[in-house]
Amino acid sequence: MKRTTILIADDEKEIADLIALHLEKEGYQLIQVYDGKEALHAIQSQAIDLAILDIMMPKMDGYEVTRQIREQYHMPIIFLSAKSSDLDKITGLVMGADDYMTKPFNPMELVARVNAQLRRSTRLNQPASSLKSILESAGLTMDPDQRTVILYGKQVELTPKEFDILYLLASHPKKVFSAEHIFQQVWGEAYYESGNTVMVHIRTLRKKLGEDTNKNKLIKTVWGVGYSFHG
């Protein structure tokens, strides 16, 4: 049986070694690299199931690595960075990361988040026969197998989390989902933070759908309750 392979990319070798020590105990196969170009090369040359990326790396930062990864791959990405402001976290999530942890960090919490992301990724990569059907509503077509979104004949590029949020909402028209419910369904783990993570993804999702200029919004906010899809 193939072992799950995790990429650790951090120019601080001591931190990379610490992460590797804890993940090895979980039985994972690990690849350690120390700059962004090495990280991208590793992903392009072998099968990686999850990537842990530092943001401030030599040769290519974590943001650019993530941007290039998302052009071809859907594996979970966890940012691990000393950059701890809300803006830094928002930027990381918008760029396509699935989670964001700040240094210093609790290694056991990182292990828990890695396990949660891999469980969720396994569910999404079920055989095609068990995947949800193509969804069509109000000029919107979503294919959960190909992970594509077409809106009024034009393809919309979404991050994995944005796709999952939109599919969840669009699958239940007019049903109101709280931020907590969305987080639990999409992230596949307990709701451990404020609603900012969900709010940021909804905001960028709306922008990509052109709702800043479109009067007929697909995603509506029910103040104090949550979000709903109106096709």
Side-chain angles (χ1 to χ4, degrees), residues 176-183 198 225-227:
V176 180
F177 288 86
S178 67
E180 179 178 0
H181 191 171
I182 293 172
F183 188 91
V198 173
V225 183
Y227 306 93

Side-chain angles (χ1 to χ4, degrees), residues 164-165 168-169 172 175-191 193 195 198 225-227:
D164 293 341
I165 291 172
L168 174 65
L169 295 177
H172 303 83
K175 178 178 178 179
V176 180
F177 288 86
S178 67
E180 179 178 0
H181 191 171
I182 293 172
F183 188 91
Q184 291 173 340
Q185 290 291 313
V186 172
W187 275 258
E189 57 187 284
Y191 188 68
E193 291 183 343
V198 173
V225 183
Y227 306 93

Side-chain angles (χ1 to χ4, degrees), residues 27-179:
Y28 295 127
Q29 179 172 305
L30 304 172
I31 298 171
Q32 292 180 228
V33 298
Y34 307 104
D35 67 58
K37 286 192 174 180
E38 286 183 343
L40 194 59
H41 176 72
I43 288 169
Q44 292 172 336
S45 60
Q46 53 201 303
I48 304 293
D49 298 291
L50 180 144
I52 300 172
L53 305 179
D54 185 26
I55 292 179
M56 302 302 292
M57 290 188 291
K59 298 183 181 179
M60 185 184 296
D61 66 26
Y63 293 143
E64 179 60 21
V65 174
T66 298
R67 188 190 68 78
Q68 294 196 37
I69 289 173
R70 286 295 179 237
E71 290 179 353
Q72 302 180 59
Y73 307 101
H74 295 292
M75 86 277 287
I77 297 173
I78 298 177
F79 273 149
L80 187 64
S81 176
K83 298 164 74 67
S84 59
S85 73
D86 287 343
L87 179 59
D88 293 322
K89 294 178 182 179
I90 289 169
T91 301
L93 295 171
V94 169
M95 289 295 295
D98 297 280
D99 205 347
Y100 191 113
M101 287 192 68
T102 57
K103 301 176 183 178
F105 62 96
N106 182 326
M108 296 310 297
E109 181 182 353
L110 177 59
V111 169
R113 295 195 185 194
V114 166
N115 290 338
Q117 289 296 335
L118 287 170
R119 284 195 301 271
R120 176 181 169 279
S121 180
T122 299
R123 290 199 303 271
L124 290 177
N125 289 303
Q126 299 174 72
S129 61
S130 63
L131 288 172
K132 296 177 181 177
S133 60
I134 293 175
L135 185 152
E136 296 181 339
S137 176
L140 175 72
T141 301
M142 300 187 71
D143 185 336
D145 188 4
Q146 300 297 322
R147 309 283 290 177
T148 56
V149 178
I150 306 294
L151 183 62
Y152 300 120
K154 294 183 178 180
Q155 185 160 334
V156 181
E157 297 294 336
L158 301 182
T159 66
K161 286 294 191 296
E162 290 165 356
F163 183 95
D164 293 341
I165 291 172
L166 182 59
Y167 193 91
L168 174 65
L169 295 177
S171 298
H172 303 83
K174 298 185 180 179
K175 178 178 178 179
V176 180
F177 288 86
S178 67

Side-chain angles (χ1 to χ4, degrees), residues 201-212:
H201 281 77
I202 292 286
R203 183 188 306 157
T204 57
L205 182 54
R206 282 173 164 161
K207 186 174 181 180
K208 290 182 179 181
L209 294 174
E211 297 203 348
D212 50 344

